[in-house]
Amino acid sequence: MNHKTKKKGFQPSQMRCPYCGAPVVYRSAEGIYKTNHLDTMLYVCSKYPKCDAYVRVHEGTKIPMGSLANKELRNLRRTAHLYFDQLYLTGLMTKDAAYQWLSDLLCTPPSEAHIGHLGEYYCKEVIAASKKLLEQRKQKQHRRPVVCEGGAAS
């Protein structure tokens, strides 16, 4: 058994679209992505394009990177990742600490704290909480004390 193609409890043949209930098919992103230079593979609702739910797979595997999502949810996940990633890309915390923070926010084990599995509600929560932390950091940077030379005692 190749550990990169098997995931405990994962049965692609039993996957159904969470939006319309149709079976899901494993296929190339050709025709869905504007360009598919990396030969990306997806799980796609069999009613695509009427139902536009799909999810990308981890490169070289058939393991989905999350759950199927429609355009609105894919956009929310992108935005959530944009703000979440800034927590460690700006040095506010390490990447490990950021995922622990996400795990705490979602009340889930770190192994399950992935934006690709979130629904709309939790994506919005991640966006708001990430923005709040980033804004707090920004405000602290602007409030640094000014060291004055001289003064009344000089």
Side-chain angles (χ1 to χ4, degrees):
M1 178 165 86
N2 183 345
H3 73 283
K4 287 192 172 192
T5 57
K6 299 286 183 187
K7 184 177 179 183
K8 188 177 180 181
F10 173 65
Q11 306 255 338
S13 63
Q14 296 178 3
M15 287 176 67
R16 306 290 269 173
C17 175
Y19 299 96
C20 70
V24 173
V25 295
Y26 178 73
R27 59 165 277 195
S28 167
E30 201 74 34
I32 295 176
Y33 286 7
K34 290 179 184 170
T35 59
N36 190 24
H37 301 298
L38 302 175
D39 297 323
T40 302
M41 298 299 289
L42 309 168
Y43 283 105
V44 182
C45 176
S46 59
K47 293 191 176 184
Y48 184 87
K50 184 177 179 183
C51 178
D52 74 341
Y54 61 84
V55 64
R56 190 171 53 164
V57 300
H58 290 278
E59 189 176 339
T61 75
K62 289 187 174 184
I63 299 171
M65 295 186 88
S67 59
L68 267 77
N70 64 10
K71 186 175 184 174
E72 181 181 354
L73 182 53
R74 289 191 305 271
N75 286 335
L76 273 171
R77 286 177 178 172
R78 264 188 229 102
T79 303
H81 247 301
L82 175 83
Y83 286 103
F84 170 75
D85 291 351
Q86 291 306 305
L87 298 178
Y88 61 87
L89 292 174
T90 61
L92 182 61
M93 57 182 79
T94 66
K95 190 171 185 176
D96 285 344
Y99 275 96
Q100 183 60 56
W101 172 85
L102 181 63
S103 170
D104 293 344
L105 179 71
L106 302 174
C107 299
T108 186
S111 62
E112 296 177 22
H114 299 287
I115 291 171
H117 292 282
L118 301 182
E120 293 177 22
Y121 174 82
Y122 279 109
C123 281
K124 290 175 183 177
E125 289 294 306
V126 169
I127 293 165
S130 297
K131 280 182 173 181
K132 183 177 178 181
L133 281 177
L134 292 165
E135 186 58 36
Q136 287 172 348
R137 178 183 192 204
K138 196 178 194 181
Q139 288 175 357
K140 283 181 183 178
Q141 287 176 337
H142 289 307
R143 285 194 225 144
R144 290 190 178 161
V146 177
V147 177
C148 296
E149 302 252 343
S154 300

